[in-house]
Amino acid sequence: MALVRLIEENFKSFKPGYFPTDMTAIGEYHFMPPEGYTGIWYEPNKDTGWGWFNRTYDKRCWMIKEREGEHDLECEQLISPDAAMAMLVTGENEWTDYEVSCRLWLLTGKNNAGLAFRYSDSRHFYFFSLAEASRAVLYKKCEDSLDVLAEKEMELDCDTFYTLKVAVEGNKFTCYIDGRKVFDACDDSYKRGKVGIASSTPARFTDFVLDMEQEKFLAAQKEKKAEAERIMRKRAEYPQPRLWKILDLKDFGAARSFRYGDLTGNGKMDFLFVQYLPLLNTHDEAMISCITAVDLDGNVLWQIGEPNPENEILTADVAVQIYDIDGDGFNEVIYCKDFKIIVADGRTGRTKYWTHTPKSIYHEKYKIYQNVYLERIIGDSIRICNFSGNDRPSDILIKDRYNNIWVYDSKLNFKWHRHVNTGHFPMSFDINGDGKDELMVGHTLLDSNGELIWELPNMVCHVDEIVIGRFDPDNDKYLIALASGEDGFLLVDQDGKILVQDHLGHAQRVSVADYRPDIPGLEIAVTTFWGNTGIIAFYDCKGNRIYHCEPGANGNVICPVNWTGDGRELMLYSASRKFGGLVDGYGDRVVVFPDDGHPELCCDAVDLMGDEREEILVWDQKRMYIYTQEDNPKKVDYVPIKYAHYNFSNYRGEYSFRKEHL
């Protein structure tokens, strides 16, 4: 049978130097592709455990190096045993049977390096490797495990390129080194998938080749075409985006340090763009430097501080909210700047009253997250709560980065303080029905006075996002969905009983909505970041994983969007033309952004035109594009309950509820 050569990579198209990557937290909720040429390759993993061997600050893993006029791809790290493997991936999900090979030069006698195949995501693939310079091993990667399917002792040295090849046919994998068969193995776990290079040790790769029988190639192409046609038929059922406005953000633009609310009292949304300056050379401690209020046409209403286009992208949260805290009928802007908590008139930006931020408090517990540099805290984030039992929320919660929360009343009189592993953004919610909010802060539930109700045991990380509601029609209790970092996805009931803990990787974001009306209750979506990055998992209302996928990009905000107004919940991934758009509960991209040069860095969904459906905002530091539905205006029947605008955060879990879910 004739073979078709689909990949022949010798890395000569790359210039010597680091392979482009981004090891910052920007990709948690921004779509920011690596700057530079990446060729056919995609890097799925980003791990803080890289650099374990050489303790480098720059933890980029891959470098192109010249050798006698040739180019090699070198893994630059000896990976920590607890860290994700360094990988570069290419190919198509539809590929089933093929021959894949590369030349490999081991530079140490530690860990593994080799070929990945039948790759669906960075936690599910096969891996043919040279291990510890003494064995050839075929592994199956499944979640956190590397299971040995076959192995053979070999004499390997550190001065030789070895040619590794795998012939993949059905459930049989035949592995070769330098043209000689080493072993074969059978496994039915993964039927199809991409190919790649994987390493947890310093090693060099070159001459990566993939051949496929022509019949298999044509079948894969046919399947890919049929899948694209199926998606196009689905898209025809949904209104596609129509560009409504473009705003010029001039020199005051910001990334996700952004808020919306009615500042003028005219019933229309306005925007706040917040710039910052890092303190003490860390982006974990950032001070607001400029706040600019603009209306829906981009007209500047007022400005505090001086704008600077260099102060626009922040990887942490920012302490500012829009809310009528004093109950006078007009929204205030509550923010932290220059070690003050300030309540300002939303119409003018003028300060109405203020107090000092709390003094920094050091505690031995949670000291791994302790960053006490200054006498007073800067202010990491603000939340509006109802601990007082009033008719409307009137309390202000402020936190430092990871260790303490303080609560004030509407006039900034101090009420109480609590030391706790705060996570990023607590969620206040009246769980026991007494008219006062309890506070889910990290893995801890506090009452309205800050006293401990319960704390989840044996947790090692911090919580990134939280959603509370009645997701399961078979369970009368409130359920709490937690994106809990290295502790994974947690589903907990209101009494602190852990119902599900899924170690799917570093759980970063969570959203809850009726993404699948064909199954009972609400569905939960979780995405990962650090380590195995960019995986999205869907769960049913009981926390059973329905499916998972790896779209191929970071910055997926996974927020539910009321796009149609008929109850069909969609999920916003990112503003990327290639990867982003709105996805249904089956993972199909049913709404895509036009190829009109729109910004791709940030996105969000909010009703701006008043028909109860949400518009999509996409923006970067310079421009904001606002899209509405092509059939707008339209009378709609479905108006879900969403996260309150006055508690915006980069780290808020998103939800779309009906009344029975609260």
Side-chain angles (χ1 to χ4, degrees), residues 202-271:
R204 288 194 182 187
F205 299 81
T206 191
D207 296 335
F208 186 94
V209 173
L210 184 136
D211 295 322
M212 188 182 299
E213 292 182 1
Q214 186 171 20
E215 182 180 346
K216 298 287 187 179
F217 172 67
L218 294 176
Q221 292 296 96
K222 182 178 180 181
E223 182 180 345
K224 185 176 181 180
K225 181 181 178 182
E227 178 68 4
E229 291 172 349
R230 183 186 69 82
I231 298 296
M232 289 303 294
R233 289 193 295 271
K234 263 195 170 184
R235 287 179 186 169
E237 301 174 7
Y238 293 88
Q240 295 301 305
R242 172 174 62 84
L243 183 61
W244 179 42
K245 287 178 181 287
I246 299 177
L247 275 59
D248 180 2
L249 305 185
K250 303 180 177 64
D251 60 352
F252 58 76
R256 288 278 295 184
S257 300
F258 163 81
R259 301 290 186 267
Y260 43 76
D262 182 3
L263 294 172
T264 64
N266 65 358
K268 297 181 179 180
M269 285 288 184
D270 303 296
F271 302 139

Side-chain angles (χ1 to χ4, degrees), residues 476-522:
D476 291 334
K477 294 182 179 181
Y478 285 110
L479 301 182
I480 306 169
L482 303 169
S484 190
E486 297 302 315
D487 294 305
F489 161 62
L490 293 167
L491 187 63
V492 181
D493 72 14
Q494 67 186 57
D495 299 322
K497 180 182 178 181
I498 298 175
L499 306 176
V500 173
Q501 183 171 14
D502 186 11
H503 290 280
L504 76 162
H506 182 104
Q508 186 67 42
R509 315 213 68 172
V510 61
S511 70
V512 181
D514 192 9
Y515 293 120
R516 290 279 300 272
D518 59 315
I519 58 180
L522 302 182

Side-chain angles (χ1 to χ4, degrees), residues 307-557:
N308 183 341
E310 297 179 1
N311 304 332
E312 297 161 333
I313 298 182
L314 180 63
T315 62
D317 216 340
V318 65
V320 60
Q321 300 293 1
I322 301 172
Y323 182 65
D324 181 11
I325 194 67
D326 61 8
D328 67 351
F330 292 93
N331 280 330
E332 283 73 46
V333 175
I334 304 132
Y335 67 100
C336 293
K337 188 177 186 299
D338 300 322
F339 308 102
K340 297 177 180 177
I341 309 173
I342 299 169
V343 176
D345 191 319
R347 292 164 291 184
T348 65
R350 296 191 185 97
T351 298
K352 299 178 77 169
Y353 48 94
W354 66 272
T355 191
H356 292 290
T357 58
K359 289 192 175 183
S360 301
I361 302 174
Y362 178 82
H363 295 270
E364 185 68 18
K365 194 176 182 183
Y366 315 128
K367 65 180 180 179
I368 189 172
Y369 300 124
Q370 189 75 40
N371 289 321
V372 178
Y373 301 112
L374 304 167
E375 186 70 13
R376 292 190 180 276
I377 72 164
I378 296 164
D380 176 76
S381 63
I382 288 173
R383 183 178 184 91
I384 309 302
C385 309
N386 188 5
F387 298 125
S388 301
N390 296 328
D391 292 338
R392 56 193 297 277
S394 60
D395 300 306
I396 300 170
L397 179 149
I398 183 174
K399 64 184 285 288
D400 60 14
R401 185 64 171 155
Y402 287 112
N403 291 272
N404 299 277
I405 56 174
W406 295 263
V407 174
Y408 297 80
D409 67 15
S410 62
K411 296 300 182 181
L412 298 181
N413 298 305
F414 172 73
K415 296 186 68 172
W416 53 266
H417 159 264
R418 181 81 188 194
H419 171 62
V420 65
N421 183 347
T422 64
H424 280 299
F425 194 63
M427 186 170 186
S428 50
F429 192 94
D430 182 9
I431 290 178
N432 62 12
D434 66 351
K436 299 179 181 181
D437 284 343
E438 284 68 52
L439 187 70
M440 189 70 205
V441 50
H443 297 110
T444 304
L445 184 68
L446 304 178
D447 69 15
S448 57
N449 296 311
E451 298 300 320
L452 178 68
I453 299 176
W454 50 255
E455 184 173 42
L456 299 181
N458 304 318
M459 298 297 150
V460 301
C461 198
H462 62 261
V463 172
D464 283 290
E465 296 190 351
I466 305 167
V467 178
I468 302 175
R470 289 192 169 99
F471 314 152
D472 183 356
D474 297 328
N475 192 335
D476 291 334
K477 294 182 179 181
Y478 285 110
L479 301 182
I480 306 169
L482 303 169
S484 190
E486 297 302 315
D487 294 305
F489 161 62
L490 293 167
L491 187 63
V492 181
D493 72 14
Q494 67 186 57
D495 299 322
K497 180 182 178 181
I498 298 175
L499 306 176
V500 173
Q501 183 171 14
D502 186 11
H503 290 280
L504 76 162
H506 182 104
Q508 186 67 42
R509 315 213 68 172
V510 61
S511 70
V512 181
D514 192 9
Y515 293 120
R516 290 279 300 272
D518 59 315
I519 58 180
L522 302 182
E523 290 69 54
I524 306 162
V526 178
T527 187
T528 65
F529 191 71
W530 299 107
N532 304 117
T533 303
I535 297 171
I536 298 175
F538 275 79
Y539 302 84
D540 67 16
C541 63
K542 300 181 186 300
N544 301 305
R545 198 191 299 188
I546 304 171
Y547 73 90
H548 55 264
C549 61
E550 186 181 275
N554 298 324
N556 296 305
V557 298

